Every structure is written in structure tokens, then in C-alpha cells.
Amino acid sequence: DCSIETFQFHWRGQFAGFIVNGEFSYDISSIPSNGIIREENLLFLDVSFFDPEGEFLRTYKDNHLQPVDADGKPYLNFAFDTLSQELLQDGTFNVDDEENRYRNGFVMGEGDPSKRAEFGSQTGLAFWSRPADTKTPHLHVDDWNSEDGSGEFGYPIGFSSHEDVSFLYKTTHDMIDSGKIGQAYYEVVNGTVAVNKLASDVGGKGQNVRLSTCHVEDHD
């Protein structure tokens, strides 16, 4: 006998408004002793990407199994805390920490964020957490660049080099002051706001990944 618990997850970017949602499940009897479900404990994980207008871009089905890197390892890194019922997301994308929960991060979709500066080395869409332990917690959507620096879908930059980002503990106003928001979404000319297509209020903070319980099923 087994009991399968399924969760849905949802996110919207802070600047451009890209959308990521999906669903994952696991067997309750397979929960490790520390309460953290990792990619190897999943029964399935599907993740879908949408542009700021809600236009569907791509779904990665069974992302815990595919796609894989050159060594045959799935790109997915994942940590769900069954004790707090949250996706662990403050940490660095490739860190698994069994004791300090806040250090755990994630990668979903396709590609290795450590190769983000190697244009043309990878393709696809990725949703991932901060790049290093020294960085403020934040989440990214990337459409990995081809050799000429353009992504597959051709959207303008939302923040820094990314299609979209959300800073979980910083307001949009804080990040306007950084000067890194893409001009397609926010631009000041001669002291006057000429473009404001931001996906969040200037006083708002970036979204974290939100979860909702879909259902629990008992199987013989």
C-alpha cells in the first residue's frame, strides 16, 4: 500500500512577469527521516513556462528524469520540506544541505546555470534559485543564449542578463535603483519615467514559489 501526495506550484516574475507552474508527487512512505523530498524521491514533476502575456512556451514532463546533461544526469535539483510544506528556494541552485535547510536551492527545466555565460553551450528554459551562497536569495527564468546572445524565444531582458527574476526580500523600488532592470520594462529618460511595464508594484517584493495541495491518493 502507498499514499501519494501531489502538490501544484506557481510563480510569477517580479519585472517582466514570466509565469512558471507545475506539479509534483511523491509516496508518503518514501519520505526520508529528515523530511526533505529530493529529486530521487519524486514520482513525477512537470514544469511549464509561460511568457508575460500567458502565452505557453514549453512543458518539461517528468523533469526529474529528463532532459539530462552530457553525463546522463537530469538537470533537476529539488528540495521539498514536508515538515514546513514549502519548496526550499532561498539557497544556491546546486546546493543540497541536510541540516541547514535555508541553503537548499533548485533548478527546473533544462540546462546548467553555472554555464550561463557560455553562449551557445546549451538551449532551453530554466527556472532556478540564486547562483552563489554570497548572493541575496532570488529566482530566475532564463532562455539560454545562443552564440549570438539571443534566446530561443527572443524576449527582451527583464533583469541583468535574465528574462525575469524575483528578489524574495527586496522591493521592486530597491531593484530599480540598481539600474539592472531591462529597458523594455522600465526606463527613465532625463529624470522622467518613459517606460513602466513592470509586473509588480514598486513597493512590492518578488514572489517566492507558492504551493497548493492538489490531492492525496491511497493505492493498494
Side-chain angles (χ1 to χ4, degrees):
D1 293 353
C2 65
S3 293
I4 297 173
E5 189 159 28
T6 302
F7 283 83
Q8 295 177 333
F9 59 89
H10 321 269
W11 176 85
R12 188 176 182 94
Q14 188 171 5
F15 306 111
F18 279 79
I19 299 164
V20 179
N21 61 39
E23 194 171 75
F24 65 89
S25 72
Y26 59 89
D27 181 349
I28 293 173
S29 67
S30 71
I31 297 174
S33 59
N34 66 356
I36 298 177
I37 292 289
R38 299 200 180 276
E39 56 273 15
E40 62 267 23
N41 306 120
L42 293 169
L43 296 177
F44 79 85
L45 186 147
D46 298 342
V47 58
S48 297
F49 294 77
F50 302 82
D51 78 3
E53 302 300 321
E55 185 75 21
F56 171 73
L57 300 177
R58 180 167 297 149
T59 292
Y60 291 94
K61 293 188 69 64
D62 289 324
N63 199 208
H64 63 306
L65 301 177
Q66 58 189 0
V68 297
D69 62 18
D71 296 322
K73 180 182 177 182
Y75 290 108
L76 183 77
N77 190 43
F78 182 86
F80 172 68
D81 189 343
T82 60
L83 305 182
S84 61
Q85 301 279 281
E86 64 181 323
L87 177 68
L88 298 177
Q89 55 195 280
D90 278 9
T92 301
F93 72 93
N94 58 358
V95 168
D96 291 349
D97 193 315
E98 305 300 335
E99 296 182 1
N100 297 310
R101 280 167 151 74
Y102 74 90
R103 294 193 65 246
N104 289 273
F106 72 84
V107 184
M108 300 182 196
E110 183 173 7
D112 178 356
S114 67
K115 297 180 179 180
R116 60 191 178 278
E118 301 174 20
F119 289 5
S121 67
Q122 56 190 0
T123 60
L125 298 168
F127 181 40
W128 57 288
S129 60
R130 70 180 181 182
D133 289 355
T134 56
K135 301 294 185 180
T136 299
H138 61 286
L139 309 178
H140 319 72
V141 161
D142 274 287
D143 178 5
W144 299 121
N145 291 326
S146 60
E147 291 182 358
D148 65 4
S150 62
E152 175 184 349
F153 292 95
Y155 289 98
I157 291 299
F159 186 88
S160 185
S161 62
H162 313 285
E163 273 65 29
D164 211 351
V165 174
S166 67
F167 286 86
L168 312 184
Y169 305 106
K170 290 182 177 290
T171 67
T172 301
H173 186 271
D174 292 335
M175 306 322 296
I176 287 173
D177 289 344
S178 75
K180 294 183 178 181
I181 297 177
Q183 293 182 348
Y185 302 104
Y186 191 87
E187 185 177 17
V188 175
V189 178
N190 297 324
T192 300
V193 177
V195 176
N196 185 353
K197 297 181 179 179
L198 293 170
S200 57
D201 184 81
V202 293
K205 294 180 180 179
Q207 283 188 14
N208 60 1
V209 180
R210 298 171 293 174
L211 297 177
S212 57
T213 305
C214 186
H215 54 263
V216 176
E217 296 180 356
D218 293 321
H219 293 263
D220 294 328

